[in-house]
Amino acid sequence: MMEERLKRLRKAMDHGSFNQMPFTEEKKQMIKRGIENSKGNDHDILLHILQLLVDEKTGHELLNNLRSRGINQYEERHGFLYAALHKMEQDKLLDSFWKREEKNYKLSSRGRKVLQSLEEGKSVKNLSFQVLLEGE
């Protein structure tokens, strides 16, 4: 599956503004390592998000709190975090409400159970950024 992603990336690069940039084997491996490394952090990042949302927060506050915990992989991609929050909301892990023209998020009772399971080291089926964004 990862090889297919790299092929699609190469095709996009060949037809886009990066068509003059060589796509060497070294660059392929660097991208592959980056994808693999980010997967390993999914569990930790989701755990941090759930822990932070025990108390209500806006998306911006959540992003700042993640940054203060040293999680900055998604700092440049705010849309990614909001997409994950939206999916978690759809999956009934979060409750959301509007307050002073800002959307706030807080763990639902289901989200608290999932957080407790994660903190106890239990695996939670289908809970990762990959799954959240791809809807698997």
Side-chain angles (χ1 to χ4, degrees):
M1 181 155 164
M2 190 176 306
E3 287 298 320
E4 185 59 36
R5 288 182 186 173
L6 290 173
K7 287 178 186 175
R8 287 194 308 257
L9 175 61
R10 179 173 182 143
K11 185 177 180 181
M13 288 175 66
D14 286 346
H15 296 0
S17 58
F18 295 107
N19 61 353
Q20 300 300 316
M21 179 186 254
F23 196 68
T24 64
E25 188 60 36
E26 181 182 343
K27 286 186 183 176
K28 277 189 205 179
Q29 294 304 317
M30 183 182 73
I31 291 168
K32 193 174 183 178
R33 281 191 304 274
I35 291 169
E36 288 169 350
N37 289 340
S38 70
K39 283 183 180 179
N41 295 327
D42 276 2
H43 178 274
D44 294 337
I45 293 169
L46 285 170
L47 179 62
H48 285 286
I49 289 172
L50 294 174
Q51 288 172 335
L52 289 167
L53 290 175
V54 167
D55 299 316
E56 73 180 62
K57 290 180 180 40
T58 65
H60 182 72
E61 290 171 327
L62 177 62
L63 189 63
N64 286 337
N65 288 159
L66 288 170
R67 186 182 304 129
S68 71
R69 287 187 177 198
I71 299 171
N72 55 17
Q73 292 95 318
Y74 306 105
E75 195 167 311
E76 299 296 320
R77 297 167 41 208
H78 297 170
F80 185 82
L81 176 62
Y82 286 102
L85 289 171
H86 180 72
K87 181 68 169 116
M88 292 169 78
E89 188 179 3
Q90 287 180 327
D91 290 344
K92 309 270 189 252
L93 297 175
L94 302 178
D95 292 323
S96 67
F97 51 94
W98 289 90
K99 190 174 178 181
R100 292 185 298 275
E101 298 183 14
E102 289 184 305
K103 192 169 186 177
N104 287 261
Y105 301 90
K106 187 172 182 174
L107 277 186
S108 66
S109 58
R110 182 170 186 254
R112 288 180 188 277
K113 290 175 187 173
V114 167
L115 174 59
Q116 183 177 0
S117 294
L118 289 172
E119 288 178 334
E120 291 172 357
K122 297 177 184 170
S123 174
V124 177
K125 183 181 176 188
N126 293 334
L127 188 62
S128 71
F129 271 135
Q130 179 102 8
V131 170
L132 285 172
L133 295 180
E134 294 178 0
E136 293 177 355

